[in-house]
Amino acid sequence: MGTKDFGAIENDYAFFMAHATEAESDVAVYVSSLAEFTSSQQRIRLLDFGCGTGEFSDRLLSALSLPPEKLQLSLFEPVSHQLQLASQHLSRFSQHPITCLSNVNEVREGSFDLILSNHVLYYVDDLDAVLQTFLNALDSGGRIQTAIAGWDNALLQIWKTGFSMLGKPVPYYAAEDVEDFLNRNHVSFTKLPSPYLLRFPDSEENRWKILRFLFGEHLHALEPEKILPVFDPYIRDDYVEMQTSSDHFVIDPN
C-alpha cells in the first residue's frame, strides 16, 4: 500500500474526522445500499480493506447490526499497530476469529462475500491491481463497495493546487480512476453521492492540521505563504466551512 504514511499523521487525521460529517454520511450510504444484500446472505465473509484503527468500521458495523454468528471478519491494514488496535476494537462484532492481513498478496481468491474500502484507494500503489484483486477475491454473488472522492471534492482541489505549486501531478488516485477501471473492464456498478461538511475554527494551527492530513510528507516542500491561503474562500464567521462530497461505488460483478 501506498504513498502516504497515516501512522505519522494520526492526530491530524483525527482532527479531520472530528470536524467533518464525512463518516456519518458514509455510514448512511453504506447502510442504505447494503440492507437488502446483507439480509439475503446466510453468512458474510467481510474484508475491511484499509481498516485503520477500526474506528470507522466500529460505527459502520454498529449501524449494520449484523448477527455476530453470521459475520466472518478479515481486516487489511499495513500499519501494524493500527491493525492490532482494529482487531481488538472490532472483535465483539463476530463470533469467529478475526483474520489480520497486512499485504495485498495475502488476499486469497474467492474468499469473500463483501469487500468494503472506505477512503483508502487514493493511496494504493497500483489501483488497477488492487481492484482486480478485489474482483478475484469475491465469491459468486459477492459485492464490493468503496468510498472515494472525485476531483470536484474541495479537499482534492487543494491537492491539485498544492502539487501544482510543486510542479508535479497529484500522486494519488480519485473516484474518476476507479470509474475508469470499472468501465474498461466492463464491470457493473452503481455510483452514489455522499455529501458532507468539513467545519473547523479558523486558525493557522488548524489549517496546518488539515494540510498535514492532506499532504503528509510532501508538506515540507510547500511554502507557507502560498499554501495557507487555500482556505480563504471557505471562511464563514471565523470558521472554515467546506461543503463537499464523495462517491460510493457499489460493484456487483456477478
Side-chain angles (χ1 to χ4, degrees), residues 2 20 23 57 82-83 106 153 155 162 219-220 235 244:
S57 306
Q82 292 189 353
L83 181 59
E106 298 174 308
N153 178 281
L155 294 175
L219 184 59
H220 75 279
I235 300 302
T244 190

Side-chain angles (χ1 to χ4, degrees), residues 4-11 13 77 79 82 119 123 213:
K4 190 170 183 179
D5 179 8
F6 266 80
I9 56 170
E10 282 185 59
N11 292 336
Y13 176 64
E77 174 56 52
V79 181
Q82 292 189 353
H119 295 288
Y123 311 115
F213 160 59

Side-chain angles (χ1 to χ4, degrees), residues 15 18-21 197-201 236-237 239-242:
F15 178 84
H19 292 86
T21 62
L197 174 69
L198 172 62
R199 184 176 187 268
F200 59 89
R236 306 286 186 275
D237 299 325
Y239 280 79
V240 173
E241 293 189 4
M242 308 176 81

Side-chain angles (χ1 to χ4, degrees), residues 27 30-32 34-35 38 46 59-67 114 116:
V27 166
Y30 281 119
V31 170
S32 174
L34 286 170
T38 55
L46 168 60
R59 295 178 65 167
L60 177 57
L61 291 173
S62 295
L64 287 173
S65 298
L66 301 173
L114 179 60
L116 300 180

Side-chain angles (χ1 to χ4, degrees), residues 38-200:
T38 55
S39 64
S40 68
Q41 303 294 309
Q42 294 300 311
R43 65 174 181 187
I44 298 176
R45 295 167 297 169
L46 168 60
L47 172 63
D48 183 352
F49 187 87
C51 62
T53 60
E55 222 172 303
F56 177 80
S57 306
D58 188 307
R59 295 178 65 167
L60 177 57
L61 291 173
S62 295
L64 287 173
S65 298
L66 301 173
E69 65 275 10
K70 183 174 178 176
L71 178 64
Q72 299 176 26
L73 186 58
S74 296
L75 304 176
F76 177 91
E77 174 56 52
V79 181
S80 59
H81 77 274
Q82 292 189 353
L83 181 59
Q84 183 178 7
L85 285 172
S87 179
Q88 296 168 355
H89 200 166
L90 302 175
S91 61
R92 73 183 190 279
F93 291 103
S94 177
Q95 292 181 356
H96 307 275
I98 291 179
T99 300
C100 293
L101 309 172
S102 59
N103 189 302
V104 72
N105 294 326
E106 298 174 308
V107 179
R108 294 184 291 108
E109 293 189 11
S111 299
F112 301 104
D113 308 298
L114 179 60
I115 298 174
L116 300 180
S117 183
N118 194 63
H119 295 288
V120 171
L121 295 181
Y122 311 99
Y123 311 115
V124 298
D125 288 327
D126 185 335
L127 179 64
D128 282 16
V130 169
L131 290 173
Q132 190 59 57
T133 295
F134 285 1
L135 292 172
N136 294 342
L138 279 188
D139 204 350
S140 178
R143 170 176 290 186
I144 301 164
Q145 188 157 339
T146 182
I148 182 171
W151 291 118
D152 58 347
N153 178 281
L155 294 175
L156 269 63
Q157 285 294 312
I158 292 178
W159 267 354
K160 279 192 168 183
T161 299
F163 284 106
S164 177
M165 292 175 183
L166 298 177
K168 59 176 70 173
V170 178
Y172 309 124
Y173 296 104
E176 288 82 357
D177 300 301
V178 174
E179 189 163 356
D180 176 63
F181 171 88
L182 297 173
N183 286 330
R184 279 189 283 112
N185 290 276
H186 310 289
V187 179
S188 176
F189 69 93
T190 303
K191 188 166 71 169
L192 305 172
S194 181
Y196 68 93
L197 174 69
L198 172 62
R199 184 176 187 268
F200 59 89

Side-chain angles (χ1 to χ4, degrees), residues 219-231:
L219 184 59
H220 75 279
L222 289 164
E223 299 177 38
E225 65 274 12
K226 292 183 178 180
I227 193 62
L228 284 170
V230 296
F231 296 100

